[in-house]
């Protein structure tokens, strides 16, 4: 099959007629398929059912049912410290959602500053946002009225030439990053990119990077990507205070009942604990202990994630299979085949993504809102679509992927024939 852009109008109309026949057959099935969010499927959730089989809540003489231990129980701090390659003193254990930790830290900087004047008293401030990116990051920034600046992603991570230039502006106060298996592209930052981020010299002395390492152990293949530990290199550039790392068990155990963790320098830990002392008595220590007992140690987490991979890999394979079979030779779409994470990022011909979303919806397939992977829900090229393969059962996913591909082809033909 020729690339669509080389076909005559008559050839495209013939192709459109054949595709519409397929599309209408799907539409007549009255389907209701969901690929909108990166939620674990039931099989994945079932892997952690034994988490609740605990009757003794005493740990090292501490009753975890009671008050105390603001920054988390020692054994849970150690579990995350070992997993992330840091010292336990630099770990704070948080609530079930890492999103809460990120929101609270931005709020702290906004109202009380990051070692400087509160952001709310500095006039217009800005954040760098690698795109396509995670919509929840953009929502946090929009809530506080922080101006978002797009930074293009490359195959190695954010465009660092652009980042290094933009941070010369003292109103640029930070950047959100998903450094391993980025949401949605599944790109892991190269060692060079991590090193260049660690070496940044921003004009703003209160510049902070939110290192949202949500997929730190979420490999779906044996030879998963390796991410350089940014805390191993920050010290070389006297930038220890620049990064706040976040992670959680949301997609490891239960999204609604997991455990999150924040990793930061001594100075940042001290300022965050000062705020926590006013904000809460402690987070759920019983749940922290449940997780420690369930996993045992960091290796236990990695062993558990292999079970997740066995469930997720076939789902990713199904989507990639249909993308390759239906779109690879058409010259109308591109994608990255990730080695982990929760998403596949599909870029279609400029000006066609919203139409793809409409066609999918009409045929009973729900996608992430088109544009959500960009700040203010505005994709300037109208080209990016985030695919979330994790939640649907395999048979539903197979059908949803076929409908997606047919919708992409139809939308692009419509664009080409005018």
């Amino acid at each position: 099959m020729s690339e669509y852009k080389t076909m005559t109008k008559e050839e495209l109309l013939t192709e459109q007629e054949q595709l519409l026949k397929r599309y209408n057959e799907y539409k007549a099935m009255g389907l209701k398929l969901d690929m909108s969010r990166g939620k674990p499927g039931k099989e994945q959730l079932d892997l952690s059912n034994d988490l609740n089989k605990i009757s003794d809540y005493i740990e090292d003489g501490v009753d975890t049912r009671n008050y105390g231990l603001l920054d988390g129980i020692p054994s849970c701090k150690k579990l995350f410290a070992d997993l992330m390659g840091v010292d336990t003193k630099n770990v704070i254990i948080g609530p079930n959602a890492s999103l809460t930790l990120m929101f609270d830290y931005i709020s702290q900087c906004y109202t009380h500053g990051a070692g400087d004047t509160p952001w709310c008293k500095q006039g217009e401030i800005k954040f760098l946002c690698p795109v396509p990116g995670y919509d929840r990051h953009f929502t946090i920034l929009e809530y506080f009225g922080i101006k978002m600046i797009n930074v293009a992603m490359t195959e190695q991570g954010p465009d660092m030439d652009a980042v290094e230039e933009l941070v010369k502006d003292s109103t640029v106060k930070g950047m959100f990053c998903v450094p391993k298996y980025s949401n949605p592209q599944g790109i892991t930052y190269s060692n060079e990119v991590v090193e260049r981020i660690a070496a940044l010299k921003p004009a703003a002395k209160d510049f902070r990077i939110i290192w949202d390492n949500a997929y730190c152990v979420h490999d779906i293949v044996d030879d998963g990507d390796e991410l350089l530990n940014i805390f191993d290199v920050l010290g070389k550039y006297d930038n220890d205070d620049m990064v706040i790392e976040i992670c959680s068990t949301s997609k490891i155990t239960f999204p609604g009942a997991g455990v999150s963790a924040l990793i930061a320098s001594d100075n940042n830990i001290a300022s965050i604990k000062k705020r926590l002392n006013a904000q809460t008595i402690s987070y759920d220590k019983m749940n922290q202990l449940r997780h420690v007992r369930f996993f045992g140690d960091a290796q236990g987490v990695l062993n558990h994630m292999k079970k997740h991979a066995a469930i997720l890999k076939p789902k990713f394979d199904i989507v990639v299979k249909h993308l390759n079979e239906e779109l690879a030779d058409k010259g109308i779409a591109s994608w990255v085949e990730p080695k982990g994470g929760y998403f596949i990022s599909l870029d279609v011909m400029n000006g066609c993504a919203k139409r793809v979303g409409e066609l999918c919806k009409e045929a009973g397939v729900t996608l992430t809102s088109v544009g959500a992977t960009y700040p203010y829900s505005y994709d300037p090229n109208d080209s990016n679509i985030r695919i979330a393969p994790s939640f649907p059962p395999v048979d539903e996913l197979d059908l949803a992927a076929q409908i997606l591909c047919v919708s992409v082809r139809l939308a692009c033909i419509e664009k080409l024939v005018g």
Side-chain angles (χ1 to χ4, degrees), residues 74-91:
S75 57
C76 196
K77 285 164 63 83
K78 184 179 188 307
L79 177 68
F80 277 95
D82 292 346
L83 200 61
M84 307 306 289
V86 296
D87 196 294
T88 55
K89 69 183 175 62
N90 297 111
V91 177

Side-chain angles (χ1 to χ4, degrees), residues 393-414:
V394 171
D395 57 339
E396 291 186 9
L397 183 65
D398 185 67
L399 197 52
Q402 293 178 56
I403 293 169
L404 170 64
C405 290
V406 169
S407 297
V408 170
R409 293 169 67 179
L410 282 170
C412 292
I413 288 174
E414 288 179 9

Side-chain angles (χ1 to χ4, degrees), residues 373-392:
T373 54
Y374 282 76
Y376 311 108
S377 296
Y378 174 66
D379 175 357
N381 293 322
D382 185 22
S383 64
N384 187 251
I385 296 168
R386 187 179 80 169
I387 304 170
S390 59
F391 184 69

Side-chain angles (χ1 to χ4, degrees), residues 109-401:
C109 294
Y110 193 77
T111 60
H112 285 70
D116 197 10
T117 305
W119 290 353
C120 66
K121 296 181 179 180
Q122 295 190 42
E124 181 180 71
I125 61 170
K126 305 164 189 169
F127 244 65
L128 307 183
C129 299
V131 292
Y134 180 31
D135 55 318
R136 299 282 191 176
H137 293 162
F138 309 147
T139 301
I140 292 172
L141 296 172
E142 193 165 5
Y143 180 84
F144 287 101
I146 298 172
K147 184 177 180 180
M148 293 176 269
I149 300 175
N150 292 0
V151 173
M153 284 284 288
T154 73
E155 293 180 356
Q156 305 297 314
D159 178 347
M160 288 309 299
D161 288 343
V163 171
E164 287 164 354
E165 186 63 30
L166 287 164
V167 299
K168 294 177 182 177
D169 177 355
S170 62
T171 67
V172 173
K173 298 298 181 182
M175 176 167 68
F176 268 108
C177 294
V178 181
K180 185 172 182 182
Y181 303 133
S182 66
N183 179 350
Q185 291 171 299
I187 291 170
T188 297
Y189 294 7
S190 68
N191 288 356
E192 180 188 353
V193 165
V194 175
E195 189 88 25
R196 288 177 71 177
I197 290 173
L200 285 173
K201 295 301 178 188
K205 58 184 178 181
D206 53 352
F207 182 90
R208 291 292 184 270
I209 293 170
I210 309 299
W211 200 248
D212 184 4
N213 207 349
Y215 308 109
C216 53
V217 293
H218 294 68
D219 305 316
I220 59 172
V221 295
D222 291 336
D223 61 334
D225 294 341
E226 293 289 334
L227 174 70
L228 179 63
N229 186 346
I230 195 165
F231 284 98
D232 287 343
V233 290
L234 284 169
K236 289 198 300 182
Y237 305 101
D238 196 27
N239 271 338
D240 303 78
D241 295 339
M242 191 172 67
V243 173
I244 306 293
E245 184 171 24
I246 307 289
C247 59
S248 79
T249 69
S250 286
K251 291 183 173 73
I252 297 175
T253 54
F254 302 134
V259 176
S260 62
L262 180 150
I263 298 154
S265 67
D266 293 349
N267 290 334
N268 283 323
I269 290 290
S271 67
I272 292 167
K273 285 173 71 173
K274 182 178 180 181
R275 184 251 302 166
L276 284 177
N277 192 55
Q279 180 179 359
T280 185
I281 300 300
S282 67
Y283 292 116
D284 188 345
K285 298 187 296 297
M286 294 168 65
N287 196 33
Q288 295 170 26
L289 184 57
R290 279 193 287 266
H291 279 74
V292 172
R293 297 272 176 86
F294 181 66
F295 290 122
D297 55 21
Q299 186 58 50
V301 177
L302 299 179
N303 294 340
H304 186 76
M305 293 311 294
K306 289 185 181 298
K307 299 175 185 177
H308 278 269
I311 295 168
L312 285 173
K313 181 65 162 58
K315 294 186 176 186
F316 276 75
D317 287 346
I318 284 172
V319 174
V320 171
K321 169 180 173 289
H322 287 296
L323 293 177
N324 282 324
E325 289 179 352
E326 298 253 15
L327 303 178
D329 60 353
K330 306 297 189 296
I332 56 174
S334 61
W335 58 92
V336 175
E337 186 173 344
K339 291 186 175 183
Y342 257 66
F343 305 101
I344 297 170
S345 181
L346 176 65
D347 283 308
V348 299
M349 196 168 72
N350 286 0
C352 293
K354 286 183 180 177
R355 180 58 179 150
V356 173
E358 291 170 356
L359 288 167
C360 283
K361 185 176 181 180
E362 289 174 21
V365 176
T366 302
L367 301 174
T368 301
S369 297
V370 174
T373 54
Y374 282 76
Y376 311 108
S377 296
Y378 174 66
D379 175 357
N381 293 322
D382 185 22
S383 64
N384 187 251
I385 296 168
R386 187 179 80 169
I387 304 170
S390 59
F391 184 69
V394 171
D395 57 339
E396 291 186 9
L397 183 65
D398 185 67
L399 197 52

